[in-house]
Amino acid sequence: SAVSKSPEVPFSSDAYRISAASRGKELRLTLAPLGPGEPQDLVFRFGMSGSFRLCPVTQLPRHAHLRFLTRENPPRALCFVDARRFGSWRLGDAWQPGRGPCVLSEYQAFRENVLKNLEDKAFDKPICEALLNQKFFNGIGNYLRAEILYRLKIPPFEKSRTVLEALKDQEQARRKKNPSLTLSKKLKLMRENPDLLELCHTVPMEVISAEKKLFDTDDLDNYVAFKNWLQCYLVPGMSSLRDHNGRTIWFQGEPGPMAPKGQASHKKCAQMKADPKAPIPKVTTHASKWHPRAAVKPPKPAAEKVADRPKKGCARERKKATTAPALSKPEVLVKARRSRRTTVRRGRGEAGRP
């Protein structure tokens, strides 16, 4: 795609096979020629809206930034689609440096990486912000962190180290109490009493192993199934706040001691109801469209009248609106001159200065 900022792919082959492997929030594609030639690796990051879609060549989606054609007749295209263009790809097979073990495919290494590095300054932050740090939680995103914290009733703005050190103590006590636990018993305990790190593995697995492809946005049934699966994120009745990075976190109950100051918690209403005190929307009729004076308008309070933009040709009202505030003499003259200039422009049919 001409608008994509990602590099050109130096690969050409009449017949090749595509295979893929994922790790955290990254996906690696390998293009392997069926004849002579060297394979080409690409590592993708999806951003907020990136996805792959297989469709007929005659029905290519908008924002299909990279296309792989099949040998069928008529052919289809496997497209990397990204409407917001936050996604990208890199040449080569190397995963992005600085990302920790995958929460899905490398769970044990992921768990050890977190618990062994609790002195890191990343854990000085609230737990909701630490969960988005891909150095330790590779694969966890905005909706997953909300679902994980909600299930454990952990305030999102509790200090990360406080939450995770408790897990470390629990794990050590469990090992002392049952030093000879088999793997099956450990899995059973994990399912019955999961901790935060275990939910970082099992919650995304619920999405992946669901019968429906929950993220297929073209299928309305699948989207509804995903909405029904959510327990906290965007769910009516839940509260929300912006964290210190500007990302919205959804939660229930108290936000926690490290919540940003000067920010009120917002609740998503369960149902939009008509407010009897709400102003009646203005309806433009045929008469009012062509004859503005024919439109019936309720009288405005004096304070609003001063603040509103003056009507065309009403010089007296314009002077009142200008001189109402207690301003110094030079400022009054400047505003009066601007008002006259605006009137002249409008008389000529020109737009005023924004």
Side-chain angles (χ1 to χ4, degrees), residues 143 146-147 150 226-240 249-252 266-271:
Y143 84 93
E147 296 299 312
Y150 169 77
F226 176 64
K227 294 286 285 185
N228 292 337
W229 175 83
L230 293 170
Q231 298 179 30
C232 178
Y233 182 76
L234 294 177
V235 171
M238 296 295 164
S239 302
S240 66
I249 175 68
W250 294 83
F251 61 95
Q252 186 180 52
H266 300 284
K267 275 199 174 184
K268 188 175 177 66
C269 298
Q271 186 177 358

Side-chain angles (χ1 to χ4, degrees), residues 57-88:
V57 171
T58 55
Q59 300 175 15
L60 289 178
R62 292 186 63 188
H63 311 290
H65 298 301
L66 195 61
R67 299 178 286 274
F68 305 96
L69 303 181
T70 68
R71 299 185 68 182
E72 301 168 303
N73 190 16
R76 289 184 294 171
L78 176 66
C79 306
F80 177 65
V81 183
D82 185 16
R84 298 190 181 186
R85 288 189 282 172
F86 291 158
S88 61

